[in-house]
Amino acid sequence: MIPRLACAGALLAGALGLQAATPAEIERKIDALVVRMTLEEKLGQMSQTTFPGSLTDQARDQIRQGRWGSFLNAGTPQEKAEAQRIAVKESRLGIPLIFGQDVIHGYQTVFPIPLGQSASWDPDLVRRAARIAAREASAVGIHWTFAPMMDIARDPRWGRIAESLGEDPYLAGVLAAAMVRGFQGESLAAADSLAACAKHYVGYGATEGGRDYNTTWIPEVLLRNVYLRPFRAARDAGVASFMTAFNDLNGVPASGNQFTVRQVLRDEWKFDGFVVSDYTAIEELIAHGYAADQTDAALKGIRAGVDMEMVSTDYYDRGKALVESGRLDAKLIDQSVRSILRIKYRLGLFDGRAQPVPTPAAASADALETARKLAAESLVLLKNQDGALPLAKSIGKVAVIGPLADSPVDQMGTWVLAGDVKAVRTPLNEIRRMLGEARVAWAPGLKNSRDTSHEGFAAALDAARGADAVLLFLGEEASLSGEASARAFLNLPGAQEELAAEVAQAARPMITVILAGRPLTFHEVAEKSKAVLYAWHPGSMGGPAIAEALFGDASPSGRLSTTFPRTLGQVPIYYDHMNTGRPAAESGTEAANKYTSKYLDVSFTPEYPFGYGLAYTRFEYSNLKVSAPRMSMGGKLMVSAEIANAGSRESDEIVQFYTRQLAASVTRPVRELRAFRRVHLKPGERQTVEFTLSASDLAFYNARGQLAAEPGKFDVWIAPDSASGPMGTFDLVR
Ligand code: BGC
């Protein structure tokens, strides 16, 4: 719950979008301040810690001395206000603190996990959710969120795939930029804006074996064309800060990496905000084997351009000796301090912004409605045999079974620091509300997703036998994804598969809803189900969104933002792969396919491709047109197709635009998403959807690290997913 903090001044500032000084004024103020700072005060600005329990006398003294520039997860709103008062009124230079926290997928109102949000393919809705999170979090004195995370992950074993925006660099970039705009609002200085943080820079999602914190090896061409791209989009959206990752990248840990931070981020991209390390990542340079001791760790972090050290204290403890001994150039310290102060100025912290905006104790109607809509748009219908869904509300009786049907904490997902569990509406609640309690038989079957006992099976089977349809809610608990939550298997944990097998025998029909933090493998369960709806961890309002979809108030319109493997052995599997010299074919004789890139024991194709998702209607794609056979480097090309709603219900469709360059100086992916559009079509309605392409859209980094489009032949698709759709061609010419 958010306490009321009345403050008319801040309210006014928020409403007016209080403007901080102009950029030139800010630089002048920074100049004037930095010359007055001692080396200790500078190193203090470069240090972030958590409150040691509460605001102790020792903490007060340290703030007075300028020992810290920032706190994360710091105390109550009142404690934050008091700490800020001490910093501003009682420290020598009155430099304000910046309070950071992980506001990842909502604050009080919990939105779907980011992976779920990305399945909505709806940047504007994602932006609105971030705006609401910023309002709720700024109300308790938070200035800065450690979001969005835009790590590209191609391995669902990695638990942090839940926090990602999917496997595609374009989609992740568009959504990350939308989140940045949502968190930061019109002006960073507005009282209800949060500074955003693009993380984890960079390559963290490529972790070997899917194990968290593990080593990554990413050649520069791949780094630039895939892993760095969403970060560039965040930078272009004006993100205030970056967080360097935990991983070792090509032999140089990301938090001590001069190439990615100083060269790419600062020199090439001209980023002028500040860079914070991940939690103790500076000191971890020692365990990585990249720094000999704390002094070396501080030296390498600062030299790389990591401006602020999170939680470990090597900068403060060793920085002074490093400068005084001449090993560290004091100019680097000044650069870091300037970057941190710049964001503090932009946030209006020097101008008394520190007051929270009052918000109501309960989440607003707008917040709840946005959470419901985002959960609804993130639902992906994977299977719907014989139109089993939607169910008619006039159905006699349904059985609700499974460990995820009524588990508020789990449906909120991985990053929930202030989510109000009492406000969570579960699928069970909503189905009961919709049909009336008497028509809903409820039996969890298992206590939680990892439960291996069959004790609850008998009651579940009883419920199934007496019902006209079974709604089976399977998946993963929230604690099975997120940080430090890698899994070596991707199947439904515990005895869920056995439960599904037994229920399927008794059910007519069985509809499966999966709530999970990652793509799972559930081939057998899908075979036994008439329909499968993938709901991710959908947040506070997941229940209404799911119930409305199951009973036809809305057609599911989410599309997968990650490839779903058939089995773990296919991992890593992703749609924008290279072709190989011997691509396998889905058709053709065994002999013709013998020496191709495939498996002997399972198909090489995924269970469900990137971009895939069904609706309660059928969309037909036809009449693909390319406006000209050739496009010059300075020209434009229009590609269009007709999309028809050939079914009997209205629905949104996500129309996807892909290209492939057939030959180039480095090999290019078999398909790349270039654009997409959400369209709404009534039954029988058809629409021509057109995309405009220019050479800059086709640019990629070559082996020399240069960004340019290269002439050649291209295939283009306007498609419902990454594995189908009508195709056209054109040539890009000089
Ligand atoms: C995580 C970050 C997070 C930070 C602060 C780290 O362990 O990797 O994503 O922002 O903690 O809570």
Side-chain angles (χ1 to χ4, degrees), residues 628-645:
R630 265 186 207 87
M631 171 165 80
S632 67
M633 285 290 175
K636 282 202 181 326
L637 198 74
M638 268 64 75
V639 184
S640 65
E642 244 176 66
I643 323 296
N645 182 340

Side-chain angles (χ1 to χ4, degrees), residues 382-383 519-527 532 560 562-568 570 573 602-610 612 723:
L382 295 175
K383 175 177 179 181
L520 293 173
T521 55
F522 46 90
H523 183 82
E524 300 293 319
V525 173
E527 289 280 292
V532 179
L560 297 180
T562 45
T563 302
F564 272 44
R566 291 172 192 269
T567 179
L568 174 64
Q570 291 183 316
I573 185 168
V602 69
S603 164
F604 65 92
T605 63
E607 185 82 34
Y608 305 107
F610 172 86
Y612 177 81

Side-chain angles (χ1 to χ4, degrees), residues 161 195 199 233 331 349 367 464 541 728:
I161 197 170
K199 76 183 188 187
K331 276 204 219 99
L349 289 169
M541 293 294 281

